[in-house]
Amino acid sequence: MPEKIKVANPVVELDGDEMTRIIWKFIKDKLILPYIDVDIKYYDLGVEYRDETNDQVTVEAANAIRQYGVGIKCATITPDEARVKEFNLKQMWKSPNGTIRNILDGTVFREPIVCKNVPRLVPNWTAPICIGRHAFGDQYRATDFVTKGKGKLTIKFEGEDGNVIEHEVYNFKGDGVALAMYNTDESIKGFARSCFNTALQKKWPLYLSTKNTILKKYDGRFKDIFEDIYQTEFKTKFDEAGITYEHRLIDDMVASALKWHGDFVWACKNYDGDVQSDTVAQGFGSLGLMTSTLVTPDGKTMEAEAAHGTVTRHYREHQKGRPTSTNPIASIFAWTRGLEFRGKLDNNQELIDFCHALEAVCIETVESGKMTKDLAITIKPKVEHGTDYLYTEEFLDELDKNLKKKLGK
């Protein structure tokens, strides 16, 4: 085989759990390392090793991503009570994704992988829509409680300088519920810069959606901060790239997104992003065809992963020695999106071209009619192995064969 593509700087690999861990190894050994000479800083984020290290391995991995600029992550288990019992864990460890996100202070972007023959619930979505979710504050860090009987609800801010802001919220005539939530300028600014940088990288327009007509101060703050950062830091760059930025009301944005064909970045507040990323995934036809990237505000660090779980059901079958048909495409795109970012940081066009070639092979293979069962059943309800779909290893072998062909190996 001809010379491998030399990569000047390291990438951080974060290994995962169950079926995705098995597929991950195949991808790395068959589709990546035969073609690329890269220094990989390896961290085992399998749930047993996280438990063994009291989750320090997750912190170390996140710091390594910060140091080297690129992380490539396999899907991992976030343990619940059943998993604590299953693996005899010391405690119910937090989501590794949450830990990494907090250390890197980034925004998560979800984007579908579009295959022409996978039916879309929204037929005119012919190009990807990239959802940026502000994963901080709002409902997810709110204080909510049940109120009993008659009474007055107030909200109060006491400044360190002695400044007090107090509002009467509601006079209850009977039982009810209350909610107080918050956000910070610092976090909104980081979110804005991550979104502007991602739109620039993709050369797609950016839209921010809020309900500032109702939440004039709260959502208005998002609108104002985005506008200020756009005008002072990004407008010239956007003009040069031939792209635009616009704020829209969330209801108008949802209606517009359904009519448009794609190729735009949509900046969503926390709850909106939670909802819209799943709506977009389903609208494009498959939750298994979603990429997920975490981008820092300065646009200089990225962690890429598959936007799905560890496919436990298939892993149980695999443990019994039965064949599975697990879709590896989102995991492959974690490698390609991470390595492509490395290529952009290092100005390594050969590496970027390889990533584009591997992504094209995945899509072309599916569009040629060779795919895993999850995709086959979106096309027709009753499917047979061999005729309509391939087992995991067969599909990966097909990708391997087609990649060699595309690269002329």
Side-chain angles (χ1 to χ4, degrees):
M1 189 172 283
E3 282 286 292
K4 289 185 186 183
I5 298 163
K6 295 268 192 298
V7 181
N9 293 295
V11 299
V12 180
E13 178 193 356
L14 292 74
D15 211 346
D17 288 298
E18 298 189 321
M19 201 64 209
T20 39
R21 186 182 179 103
I22 290 159
I23 289 169
W24 194 256
K25 186 169 171 19
F26 185 103
I27 294 166
K28 183 180 163 185
D29 292 346
K30 284 278 183 79
L31 302 176
I32 305 296
L33 293 183
Y35 306 99
I36 286 172
D37 181 6
V38 60
D39 178 11
I40 292 175
K41 308 294 182 187
Y42 176 86
Y43 291 85
D44 183 358
L45 261 60
V47 72
E48 293 102 330
Y49 193 64
R50 274 183 276 146
D51 189 61
E52 196 183 307
T53 63
N54 296 321
D55 209 29
Q56 270 312 292
V57 67
T58 309
V59 175
E60 286 166 15
N63 287 326
I65 296 168
R66 196 160 56 181
Q67 181 184 348
Y68 297 110
V70 179
I72 300 170
K73 181 180 173 294
C74 180
T76 47
I77 289 168
T78 298
D80 56 11
E81 283 163 10
R83 295 297 206 166
V84 170
K85 212 170 174 180
E86 181 187 342
F87 292 103
N88 194 23
L89 304 177
K90 295 171 194 163
Q91 67 179 74
M92 206 184 294
W93 302 107
K94 286 180 182 170
S95 155
N97 293 345
T99 302
I100 294 162
R101 191 163 58 224
N102 290 338
I103 290 169
L104 295 180
D105 179 33
T107 294
V108 175
F109 293 90
R110 293 273 173 92
E111 184 188 320
I113 300 156
V114 183
C115 299
K116 288 192 184 77
N117 56 335
V118 175
R120 292 180 295 278
L121 290 175
V122 184
N124 53 293
W125 282 357
T126 53
I129 295 168
C130 180
I131 302 277
R133 176 184 171 191
H134 182 217
F136 178 83
D138 299 352
Q139 287 95 321
Y140 298 82
R141 291 202 181 180
T143 302
D144 66 323
F145 56 98
V146 173
T147 64
K148 286 292 173 192
K150 286 185 176 181
K152 188 195 288 183
L153 177 68
T154 61
I155 195 163
K156 184 177 174 182
F157 170 80
E158 295 179 29
E160 272 192 356
D161 58 1
N163 173 41
V164 175
I165 303 169
E166 191 165 4
H167 290 281
E168 184 177 310
V169 179
Y170 190 66
N171 256 312
F172 282 93
K173 306 286 182 285
D175 297 355
V177 286
L179 165 80
M181 64 187 198
Y182 66 91
N183 227 295
T184 68
D185 281 10
E186 185 192 14
S187 178
I188 299 166
K189 285 173 183 172
F191 172 48
R193 290 189 178 104
S194 293
C195 292
F196 285 122
N197 276 314
T198 296
L200 265 181
Q201 191 198 326
K202 292 185 168 297
K203 294 191 168 48
W204 291 354
L206 172 68
Y207 297 90
L208 165 69
S209 62
T210 74
K211 195 68 175 173
N212 69 306
T213 48
I214 304 297
L215 298 171
K216 292 181 173 66
K217 297 282 196 297
Y218 197 104
D219 282 20
R221 196 76 188 130
F222 280 79
K223 181 178 184 281
D224 293 347
I225 286 172
F226 264 73
E227 187 61 34
D228 181 54
I229 288 174
Y230 176 61
Q231 293 297 342
T232 55
E233 298 175 32
F234 287 94
K235 189 173 189 314
T236 309
K237 293 174 188 168
F238 268 51
D239 289 345
E240 283 166 7
I243 56 174
T244 54
Y245 161 69
E246 194 183 331
H247 167 268
R248 290 197 173 211
L249 289 173
I250 180 73
D251 40 351
D252 174 41
M253 186 63 206
V254 169
S256 298
L258 285 169
K259 290 184 292 187
W260 296 342
H261 74 96
D263 281 347
F264 62 89
V265 181
W266 181 355
C268 290
K269 288 176 62 210
N270 207 344
Y271 184 79
D272 298 341
D274 196 355
V275 174
Q276 296 306 339
S277 53
D278 273 22
T279 304
V280 164
Q282 205 63 70
F284 275 95
S286 170
L287 290 168
L289 289 178
M290 280 296 269
T291 66
S292 180
T293 55
L294 177 72
V295 180
T296 55
D298 63 7
K300 291 179 179 166
T301 303
M302 183 227 258
E303 181 223 26
E305 63 161 352
H308 58 62
T310 56
V311 205
T312 310
R313 192 167 49 84
H314 288 194
Y315 184 59
R316 298 281 182 253
E317 291 297 295
H318 173 80
Q319 284 175 310
K320 292 171 190 164
R322 293 175 188 158
T324 65
S325 186
T326 315
N327 186 348
I329 292 176
S331 294
I332 294 168
F333 272 60
W335 280 97
T336 56
R337 294 287 153 102
L339 288 168
E340 180 190 16
F341 193 77
R342 177 79 274 160
K344 284 177 178 169
L345 290 177
D346 298 351
N347 206 13
N348 184 341
Q349 192 58 44
E350 202 183 356
L351 179 59
I352 295 168
D353 292 344
F354 168 79
C355 294
H356 292 170
L358 178 48
E359 289 188 2
V361 161
C362 291
I363 292 163
E364 287 161 10
T365 302
V366 170
E367 289 180 348
S368 76
K370 293 186 166 70
M371 65 194 79
T372 47
K373 191 176 181 180
D374 61 308
L375 299 180
I377 58 174
T378 67
I379 297 166
K380 63 187 231 191
K382 278 208 157 107
V383 291
E384 282 177 41
H385 169 251
T387 311
D388 305 298
Y389 72 90
L390 302 171
Y391 290 141
T392 313
E393 289 80 5
E394 293 169 340
F395 182 67
L396 285 161
D397 285 337
E398 195 67 31
L399 293 177
D400 184 28
K401 186 179 82 185
N402 291 344
L403 181 62
K404 285 192 176 88
K405 204 184 295 175
K406 189 175 262 301
L407 298 173
K409 304 295 190 205

